[in-house]
Amino acid sequence: MTEPRWLDPLEMRIWRGFLEASLRVDQRLDASLKEAAGLTLEDYEVLVALSESEGRRLRMSELSAWLLHSQSRLSHRIDRLERRGLVRREKCPEDGRGLLAVLTDDGFAELVAAAPGHLGDVRGALIDLIEPAEREVVANVLERIVAANRDPDTQTGIGQAARS
Amino acid sequence: MTEPRWLDPLEMRIWRGFLEASLRVDQRLDASLKEAAGLTLEDYEVLVALSESEGRRLRMSELSAWLLHSQSRLSHRIDRLERRGLVRREKCPEDGRGLLAVLTDDGFAELVAAAPGHLGDVRGALIDLIEPAEREVVANVLERIVAANRDPDTQTGIGQAARS
DNA sequence: CCGGGGTGGTTGAAAATTCAATAATTGAAT
DNA sequence: ATTCAATTATTGAATTTTCAACCACCCCGG
């Protein structure tokens, strides 16, 4: 109950900026992708993950972990992509419980068609806005944030972990 | 049309880091807030916006613009908050079309109760991870990103924005 | 071989979001 | 006054996400 240390102006700029930048970049990329290719940014990420994997296939559980989504959410999403013919499910040979999401040729083709435009959006919305001299700092900060917020919840003194 | 310039390793670290950091920070704050106060991060943002406004009230349209949400989405969200008694609607005296979302005393109390814990989370998940020497750069970059992705018009010229 | 405990994934219903259509009001032009 | 276009917000249906229950299979100990 002690008086919390409030955010000073610089900290507030970072916090608000982070929140708004995330939203805006996401909204812009999503809208652009949807209009140009009929794909959600999430759909696109699914296709990317599969296309970069051995045999263009991935276990459902690995894919959901990579996407930072629940298995249920992924399952429904794959349903929709499968209905559109961009992905199909295959039984996992090594583990009878498992399923593989496999990128179809159609799916790969849609990815290839969408990629250049999307790449341009990523540059326009984010990358080209960061000066070369700033890039190393930004990359390091982002990676530190990712690491600190990775699942192993028992994070280093999060200041207020003592509140079951 | 031309061969797209792919992302180099540093650019890729930034892009991936940005995407993952956004998701992780959001998920963590949302989970923490939900557990500690029964509020979504979005609910919380609604209460904050109202609490900081004249008379703790705001036009629906202003609120939705501030939150970067559609009016429909806000309307449904206010339905839920109103059902819980944290917010109520009032007719706008100056414009018969308008409605004001007004923060109730209960709503303000919940905000006050949730704020210290949330503030700690924001520090733990984001602010404290950025070295003092890095902060100015980070704030500037984020604000540049926000500005470049603000609604005005679809800066279709993906190549690059205005070169000053 | 059999029985548990744990993992991988799906399912369906509930909750939230999006999308298109609608109603009410304003401001401006006729 | 009256009409017309634009603005404000809500509504309900379709889509998507979340949540909890569930099934099938793996692994391991008896």
Side-chain angles (χ1 to χ4, degrees):
Chain A
M1 290 314 166
T2 61
E3 174 74 10
R5 195 162 95 268
W6 229 237
L7 296 184
D8 67 36
L10 180 55
E11 292 170 337
M12 188 60 91
R13 285 171 63 204
I14 293 174
W15 167 230
R16 285 289 148 200
F18 185 80
L19 224 48
E20 183 167 357
S22 308
L23 265 178
R24 295 230 182 246
V25 169
D26 209 74
Q27 287 183 351
R28 166 147 167 223
L29 296 183
D30 205 62
S32 176
L33 210 42
K34 206 170 311 190
E35 196 220 304
L39 290 170
T40 300
L41 181 53
E42 275 185 29
D43 292 331
Y44 186 88
E45 293 291 333
V46 168
L47 302 187
V48 168
L50 293 179
S51 79
E52 290 174 347
S53 303
E54 265 297 304
R56 288 183 191 161
R57 67 197 59 214
L58 227 40
R59 287 287 294 268
M60 294 295 282
S61 52
E62 299 184 72
L63 189 48
S64 71
W66 196 84
L67 294 168
L68 258 38
H69 283 170
S70 68
Q71 291 193 339
S72 172
R73 180 168 176 174
L74 176 63
S75 184
H76 288 301
R77 178 162 300 280
I78 295 292
D79 281 350
R80 296 185 287 265
L81 290 173
E82 197 167 28
R83 247 178 262 130
R84 292 173 59 180
L86 306 185
V87 167
R88 70 168 181 283
R89 286 174 164 96
E90 275 184 22
K91 287 241 287 263
C92 178
E94 301 111 21
D95 186 335
R97 299 165 296 183
L99 287 182
L100 296 161
V102 184
L103 188 61
T104 65
D105 290 344
D106 280 5
F108 187 71
E110 290 229 13
L111 177 60
V112 168
H118 177 63
L119 178 62
D121 288 334
V122 171
R123 288 198 174 283
L126 182 71
I127 299 295
D128 290 350
L129 303 169
I130 309 175
E131 301 294 337
E134 299 168 326
R135 295 190 179 187
E136 192 64 47
V137 169
V138 170
N140 286 335
V141 166
L142 289 173
E143 282 167 354
R144 213 177 303 142
I145 294 170
V146 167
N149 291 288
R150 227 183 276 276
D151 328 87
D153 48 344
T154 53
Q155 268 139 32
T156 66
I158 285 313
Q160 59 160 66
R163 202 193 38 180
S164 57
Chain B
M1 307 266 259
T2 60
E3 172 75 10
R5 196 164 93 268
W6 228 239
L7 296 183
D8 68 35
L10 180 54
E11 292 170 337
M12 189 59 92
R13 285 171 63 204
I14 292 174
W15 167 231
R16 285 289 147 201
F18 185 80
L19 224 48
E20 183 166 356
S22 308
L23 265 179
R24 295 230 183 247
V25 169
D26 208 74
Q27 287 183 352
R28 166 147 166 222
L29 295 183
D30 206 63
S32 176
L33 209 43
K34 206 169 312 189
E35 196 219 302
L39 291 170
T40 299
L41 181 54
E42 275 185 28
D43 292 332
Y44 186 88
E45 293 290 334
V46 169
L47 302 187
V48 168
L50 293 179
S51 78
E52 289 175 347
S53 303
E54 265 297 304
R56 290 184 190 160
R57 68 197 58 213
L58 226 41
R59 287 286 295 267
M60 293 295 281
S61 53
E62 298 185 73
L63 189 48
S64 72
W66 197 84
L67 294 168
L68 259 37
H69 282 169
S70 69
Q71 292 190 348
S72 173
R73 179 169 177 173
L74 176 63
S75 184
H76 287 302
R77 179 163 298 280
I78 296 292
D79 281 350
R80 297 185 285 267
L81 290 173
E82 196 168 29
R83 245 178 265 129
R84 291 172 60 178
L86 308 185
V87 167
R88 70 170 179 282
R89 285 172 165 97
E90 275 184 21
K91 286 241 285 265
C92 178
E94 301 110 21
D95 187 333
R97 298 166 298 185
L99 287 181
L100 295 161
V102 184
L103 188 61
T104 64
D105 290 344
D106 280 5
F108 187 70
E110 290 228 14
L111 177 60
V112 168
H118 178 63
L119 178 62
D121 288 332
V122 171
R123 288 198 173 283
L126 182 72
I127 298 295
D128 290 350
L129 303 169
I130 309 176
E131 301 295 335
E134 300 168 325
R135 295 189 181 188
E136 193 63 46
V137 170
V138 170
N140 286 335
V141 166
L142 289 173
E143 282 167 354
R144 215 176 302 141
I145 294 170
V146 168
N149 291 289
R150 227 184 278 275
D151 330 87
D153 56 332
T154 58
Q155 50 246 76
T156 48
I158 298 311
Q160 64 190 15
R163 201 171 48 97
S164 36

